[in-house]
Amino acid sequence: MILVVGDIHATWAMLNELIRKKKPEIILQCGDFGFWPGHRFYDPAKKLIPGKTQIHWIDGNHEDHRSIRTGLKTGTLPVAENMPNVVYQPRGSTLTLPDGRKILFAGGAFSVDNKIRLPGKDWFPDLETLTEQDWNNFPDAHEGQVDIIISHTAPTEFAVKGVPLNEWPDWWDRDSDPSSEILSKALARYKPQQWYFGHFHKFQRGTYQGCNWIGLDSAQPGKKWWIELT
């Protein structure tokens, strides 16, 4: 069984329970995983119990991006030494499933709540969004068909329903998210059959030019924050 999971935000108890009950072989996670190494409450090394499940996670906007980038440069980014099956998937990385389907991972998004965050502490404005430099690391179209994309936010073409603009609090940042434009390029280049994302904390689904997309809720009781991959 392969599960796709929405925003965790370090809600490790719920993820642990899902793993215990469903015993999936693989989890594909859509960002805002909750990677805050060394944090006394949020550190997955202290709280996460993956068992034998492979967890492939991407970065959302609410992660310790500084630690992620430092880890990538040094080649040391395990959640914990005893969790080799919990794997961060960098932007533009791919994974081939046992059935042969190819997944592309594309983390990153803009934080509309940045006005209540501290740059360099719990907000990393220069690191959180997808950039043209990230796009240059995405595989060329001739490198093989991409069947599924796992991202944090969504391309501009999807009819995603978030909180209506007229209901946004005054302190939410209304700047556009460049990540969506990069994802639109990925949609045009790869033409995937399926696309999964989180970020909007609302379960929704649709179809765009043959691509079936699903947005997952965040990990909360009674919410649809995970789904079995079909």
Side-chain angles (χ1 to χ4, degrees):
M1 178 189 297
I2 300 176
L3 301 181
V4 186
V5 173
D7 298 20
I8 300 299
H9 291 291
T11 311
W12 306 123
M14 292 190 70
L15 182 58
N16 290 340
E17 183 67 5
L18 178 66
I19 293 170
R20 187 188 68 81
K21 285 185 175 181
K22 297 296 182 179
K23 296 179 174 57
E25 297 176 21
I26 298 173
I27 284 178
L28 307 170
Q29 197 276 327
C30 296
D32 278 3
F33 185 59
F35 184 70
W36 297 96
H39 195 288
R40 59 176 177 166
F41 297 121
Y42 304 138
D43 189 346
K46 301 175 182 177
K47 304 287 186 177
L48 181 59
I49 307 173
K52 297 181 180 180
T53 300
Q54 293 182 34
I55 301 177
H56 297 269
W57 63 278
I58 63 174
D59 57 292
N61 49 305
H62 293 152
E63 316 280 3
D64 185 348
H65 285 279
R66 180 176 294 167
S67 292
I68 290 175
R69 296 300 175 95
T70 300
L72 288 176
K73 289 179 180 178
T74 60
T76 56
L77 192 70
V79 168
E81 291 184 1
N82 63 339
M83 295 184 192
N85 52 326
V86 182
V87 180
Y88 169 67
Q89 293 287 354
R91 301 170 183 184
S93 62
T94 61
L95 173 73
T96 301
L97 295 177
D99 63 9
R101 286 183 292 175
K102 187 175 181 179
I103 296 175
L104 173 74
F105 297 95
F110 179 71
S111 296
V112 298
D113 62 351
N114 61 69
K115 294 180 181 179
I116 62 169
R117 296 181 174 274
L118 295 176
K121 184 176 181 180
D122 60 359
W123 177 46
F124 303 90
D126 297 330
L127 301 175
E128 66 176 7
T129 60
L130 275 164
T131 65
E132 288 293 334
Q133 184 176 353
D134 291 322
W135 176 242
N136 291 336
N137 294 326
F138 280 47
D140 291 334
H142 69 263
E143 294 181 36
Q145 170 65 33
V146 169
D147 303 290
I148 303 166
I149 292 182
I150 302 290
S151 65
H152 186 52
T153 188
T156 57
E157 289 79 2
F158 294 173
V160 177
K161 296 180 180 179
V163 178
L165 278 173
N166 62 352
E167 296 180 16
W168 281 30
D170 292 339
W171 52 271
W172 277 16
D173 193 328
R174 285 166 167 74
D175 287 347
S176 60
D177 187 349
S179 306
S180 295
E181 298 175 7
I182 299 296
L183 294 176
S184 291
K185 291 184 178 183
L187 179 64
R189 173 183 287 182
Y190 305 114
K191 298 178 176 58
Q193 297 171 1
Q194 298 181 64
W195 194 309
Y196 297 86
F197 57 91
H199 190 49
F200 298 95
H201 297 190
K202 181 178 182 179
F203 182 82
Q204 49 196 311
R205 64 199 314 163
T207 301
Y208 178 82
Q209 294 187 355
C211 177
N212 296 315
W213 59 263
I214 291 179
L216 292 162
D217 212 326
S218 59
Q220 301 177 61
K223 299 294 186 178
K224 197 170 181 62
W225 58 279
W226 62 270
I227 195 168
E228 186 172 352
L229 183 71
T230 57

